[in-house]
Amino acid sequence: MCHLASLLLAFSLSLSSSIVSGDPPGIFGDDSAGYGPVFEEQPVDTIYPEESPEDKIIMSCRTQASPPATYKWRLNNWEIEIQEGGDDHYSMVGGNLVISNPDKSKHAGNYSCLAINEFGTVISREASVQFGYLDMFSTEERETVRVREGQGVVLLCAPPPHYPDDLSFRWMLNEFPVFIPLDKRRFVSQTTGNLYISKVEGSDSGNYSCFVSSASIAKSVFSKFIPLIPLVERPIRKYPADIKVKFPDTYALLGQNITLECFALGNPIPQIRWRKLDGELPAHHEISMAGGLLHLYNVQYEDEGMYECEALNSKGKDWHKAQLYVEASPEWVEHINSSERDIGSDYTMSCLASGKPKPHVRFLKNGQMYGKHELRFTDLTFDDSGMYQCIAENRHGVIYANAELRVFVSAPTFELNPVKQMILGAKNGRVVIECKPRAAPKPTISWSKGTELLSNTSRIFIWEDGSLEIRNVTKSDEGKYTCFAENDRGKANSTGALSVTDATKITLAPSNADVSVGENARMQCAASHDTSLDLTFIWSLNGHVIDLDKEEESYQYVMDGQSGMSSCELLIKDTQLRHAGRYTCTAQTPVDNITASADLVVRGPPGPPGGVRVEEYGPKSVKLLWSQGSDNLSPISKYTIQYRETRSPEEDWKDAVTSPPNVEGNAEKATVVNLIPWTEYEFRVIATNTLGTGEPSDPSPKTRTEDANPVVAPSDVGGGGGTSRELTITWKPVQPQYFYGSNFGYIIAFKPENGTEWRKVTVADPKAKQYVHKDSSIPPATKFEVKVKAFNSKGEGPFSLVATIYSAQDVPSEAPTITEARTLSSTEAFVSWKLASQQTVEGYQVRYWRKSMETEESAQRVSSKEDHIRLDNMKPNSHYIIEVRAFNGAGYGQFSKQHEIHTKKSPPSQRPKIISTKKNTSGTLLNIAWEQVESLANESKVQCYKVLYRQEGQSTGTLYTTSKLFIDVPMPKDGDYLVEVRAHSEGGDGAVAQVRISGGGASVAQSLSVCVLLLVAVLSVAL
């Protein structure tokens, strides 16, 4: 009968794809009659790239069913006709839907699969088909962006039309694939794609392109290049922090990972700080990209709240805040399951789902709407059989639970669950014989022993479910027992035999024991039992079974056995406090068990004290209170108090000095002395008894001692130098632990050496280590006496020792006179000047630049004893302006009169072409010949040729100069030699041609190494 088919419940659980599969076939005991469809594979959301070379989409649908299911598909809840004359785009392969030559206008939408057989219909979750695309950027040229150095800039990406919105962004510089590295100065928003540079530098000059990638369709495009031109501004201005990347109010799903973006422009580069306004940042957070990204992992409801990012630099601050909301997709708390129910019985199907917002729950039967919240059945009929689906939905997703309900009717049968053929029962014990036939409606049950019909007595009881219970079992209860089952469809019976065994008894019970930590303890247990049965001993501690495999380091069994009697000793090794408790020995056979218990007392060092807190505190002492912890059965003899400063929690705890010095074991308070004023401390207490020292207490709440006048003066007071009319005073700042109070700062006193009145100024920065006093009346290079002391909100400390320093010199007043300025080559020049007569000059600065490009200025410095310099790295064939000025610690003096020079043209770029290498007849000389080098129009004319003859691997050798186009060099007797030929001009030496010589002959080198080129450069300078 088809109505008797089993019901399987498959429940689709999904945030758009999550599925709770139905129960596997077999839950009804007999599936030969078949069962309804159970999903094994369902369709998933699909994005089909519009430019895909594939010409089809496959939507999967597969079930397990008996008989096999047939399939139908729906698009936007309309059934798809797949037949002759229907839409030729659709076809079926098994249960899978194949869409050939997909068309966005026809085939985009939500698809669902229906699986049908004679037991009912189930419908899959909906899966969308969307068409993905990423258009090309516009071909219009992007405008040039000009911005002053030091200012911030935003380059707009403006991504082209696309779907889906899962783009990632990078920026290219000048060419592919040179991507801009991101750091604290540069940021790319993964929301807008824009590139943000907080502070533009000259090195940022270039052409920028936004590179956009879509992971869904595996496509990337890039924009037209945007030229960025930094404008030189001297001095570079500073700008306050200005947040340009602002994360919006954000919705996150429970368990999701999210990223919040925040980035600011400004000079100096702003620092980014994050905080949660209504609590601490979640423990599972991470900050990256120099603060620009806040990652929250595995978001929970408690992470919801207002988040703020703050950008700050020395010019100002900026803030942005937005709300994070945490919601959740539906998730089953309770869902329907497949069930087989007797005809005429009552049954309730209910589903309960969690989620935020609260999910709506509805039911389907065979793919059709059937009700909401729960289904209540009274007096079940065959028509109630079928495939049921429970659906929970909110705006974040849909989940499904599928079940088959089978309404069942049958005469009693023991075919699947007969009475156990052999039942063992212990003497004087209790035995239960189960009787569970398959039947509907519910059968009436009766029992017999042999031919005797049984009824309820003081020892024999027939349960409501049909099981037979016999109490105080005796040998006379042995025999065959038959269970009879009968309903209006028929009757059946099943028989089993009861055998009675001797009861298990404890003959040696464990005894109480008392040990100290570290000692061994033994618990003994012995029992008698029926010799036909196996006996097992099980030991437990405080109701928890001891697992020897996991706790072999602490426990060991010692077994002994003989006919009818066995024993098991439990050895507890190296006892610890955790081993104390009630030990129970269980002697167990397959038929019965018996237990005996004993207590183990373990004495040890005290437990940690509790409730450590500070009640009173002063500048150098606190009163500490605590509560006594467990003494672990040995009286506490003393307490040790320890402390640490919270500014350095990584430091070890230190023993505190107390009053009284020895804290007795019955004490619960003490005064800690010799502390540092205005310092935050944590304290803990450790108890000791005759068996050792226990674990420390939890730290006390953090406590700050009262403030006091500073007692430590700044050290290493000195100074001097600086710019004109300044007095610079320096010192080594006081360490924070000696601040002794808030509002810490310094008082600086100074006076001329022969003066009588000290002048005082206040510096409020505790980290300050210098004060510069500017006064136009201060004479240069004058001796001053200075001293420094600290102060705080409580008062002032002592002055340091008096130090003697000098006020700053005046800048040099005399301008140097340039005596000679001439070019040496295309890139070098020589400059000399007349030394200044002032004694305070520390050196000279030579400044030079191309006449047409003052922004390219370069400068070199030399000591006061030097009256000339060689300038290099100049541009060939260029007009330069040169000036010199003197300097000292106070600054730079006036520039000399400007001199102009013109660098020579570049040396020839063409290297000599070696045309022959010949030995003389005696083989002692090698003749090397080359072609004439022709200079280009912008190059110096060739004056002669330089030939360097050196042993390979050596940096020096013999240098020849010749105006000819050949030269004779000695043939080496052994080893390899190199001959380097270069043209020489007034602009310097040209490119090098190289010949390698060995005992066997010569070969012309085809290329030059970096080392050779460097050597040529060095020789050019030397020559």
Side-chain angles (χ1 to χ4, degrees), residues 660-736:
N662 297 318
V663 183
E664 301 294 334
N666 58 354
E668 291 190 336
K669 62 183 178 180
T671 300
V672 181
V673 297
N674 295 354
L675 300 175
I676 300 174
W678 203 67
T679 300
E680 192 174 65
Y681 289 98
E682 289 179 309
F683 300 92
R684 69 182 188 184
V685 182
I686 303 172
T688 301
N689 62 16
T690 57
L691 296 176
T693 299
E695 293 293 319
S697 67
D698 290 335
S700 69
K702 297 175 182 178
T703 302
R704 186 183 294 277
T705 50
E706 290 184 344
D707 53 0
N709 287 14
V711 297
V712 176
S715 59
D716 296 341
V717 176
T723 58
S724 179
R725 310 301 175 185
E726 290 182 352
L727 180 66
T728 301
I729 303 167
T730 61
W731 63 91
K732 185 177 180 180
V734 174
Q735 295 298 309

Side-chain angles (χ1 to χ4, degrees), residues 402-423:
N402 302 344
E404 181 180 346
L405 174 62
R406 169 183 290 179
V407 178
F408 170 74
V409 63
S410 170
T413 174
F414 286 93
E415 183 179 351
L416 298 177
N417 195 20
V419 172
K420 192 175 180 181
Q421 288 189 347
M422 177 58 71
I423 305 103

Side-chain angles (χ1 to χ4, degrees), residues 374-386:
E374 69 175 18
L375 302 179
R376 293 182 179 273
F377 299 92
T378 57
D379 193 17
L380 282 169
T381 68
F382 291 133
D383 290 338
D384 295 319
S385 295

Side-chain angles (χ1 to χ4, degrees), residues 882-992:
I882 301 173
E883 56 188 14
V884 182
R885 61 179 173 178
F887 67 86
N888 60 18
Y892 289 100
Q894 295 181 350
F895 277 111
S896 66
K897 289 184 179 180
Q898 294 180 346
H899 270 55
E900 298 186 15
I901 62 172
H902 197 286
T903 54
K904 302 182 184 300
K905 292 182 179 181
S906 300
S909 57
Q910 178 188 351
R911 66 169 59 93
K913 182 178 180 182
I914 307 298
I915 56 177
S916 69
T917 56
K918 298 179 182 178
K919 292 182 185 179
N920 65 359
T921 55
S922 63
T924 58
L925 296 175
L926 179 69
N927 179 270
I928 301 174
W930 56 88
E931 288 184 353
Q932 172 72 36
V933 173
E934 299 295 337
S935 299
L936 302 178
N938 62 341
E939 296 176 346
S940 302
K941 292 183 178 180
V942 176
Q943 295 176 333
C944 63
Y945 295 91
K946 290 182 178 180
V947 180
L948 177 65
Y949 177 76
R950 64 182 177 88
Q951 188 171 5
E952 187 171 21
Q954 299 296 320
S955 59
T956 59
T958 304
L959 182 65
Y960 304 94
T961 302
T962 179
S963 58
K964 299 177 181 179
L965 297 178
F966 64 88
I967 193 170
D968 291 327
V969 295
M971 280 294 294
K973 293 181 180 180
D974 54 15
D976 292 337
Y977 278 73
L978 295 176
V979 178
E980 296 171 352
V981 183
R982 57 180 68 77
H984 177 72
S985 69
E986 65 175 3
D989 293 338
V992 179

